[in-house]
Amino acid sequence: MDDQPTWIGRIIDVTGWHQEPEDGVSWAEVEAELGLTLPTDFKELCRRFVPGAFYAYLDLLRPTDDHAQPLLRTWASCREWASGHESARLWEPYEMYEPDKGSGLIQWGSDQTEGSTTGWRTAR
């Protein structure tokens, strides 16, 4: 059994979200630039929760530049920041994801209390 509908359905039930899913948004450009395929459940969560904010607490990073924090722009900022700051050690033993280096972290959202949610560890 596929857990995706179960988990997304649970989130919809808990939040009481009742809007039509967004269709027609393509992740192809984002995935091509990243050089990997993003988790299907994340993409479906973004499709179901438009504009991607949970009560102004958690904001999902989305594929388009018309979003306040598009995933690619945020990823570029994180990589730039991590390359020049001592505090990049916060993510040890991991590093920020770079396509030519293999595995690493990709920020997938931001929140109002801690400032970011780095959740994917990529693997090749």
Side-chain angles (χ1 to χ4, degrees), residues 17-84:
W17 189 256
H18 299 290
Q19 275 193 318
E20 288 298 313
E22 179 180 52
D23 289 322
V25 173
S26 174
W27 286 91
E29 182 181 331
V30 172
E31 291 175 330
E33 182 144 347
L34 291 171
L36 56 82
T37 301
L38 295 171
T40 303
D41 56 348
F42 172 73
K43 293 186 287 188
E44 180 63 14
L45 193 64
C46 287
R47 188 180 84 81
R48 298 295 300 267
F49 288 89
V50 179
F54 288 84
Y55 199 61
Y57 176 77
L58 174 66
D59 192 25
L60 302 172
L61 301 183
R62 301 184 42 81
T64 59
D65 279 339
D66 61 348
H67 186 262
Q69 287 185 287
L71 193 137
L72 285 178
R73 192 172 346 139
T74 302
W75 176 57
S77 295
C78 286
R79 289 178 17 231
E80 183 178 323
W81 185 84
S83 70

Side-chain angles (χ1 to χ4, degrees), residues 46 56 58 83 89 92 105 120:
C46 287
L58 174 66
S83 70
R89 293 186 321 182
E92 286 181 345
L105 299 174
W120 296 318

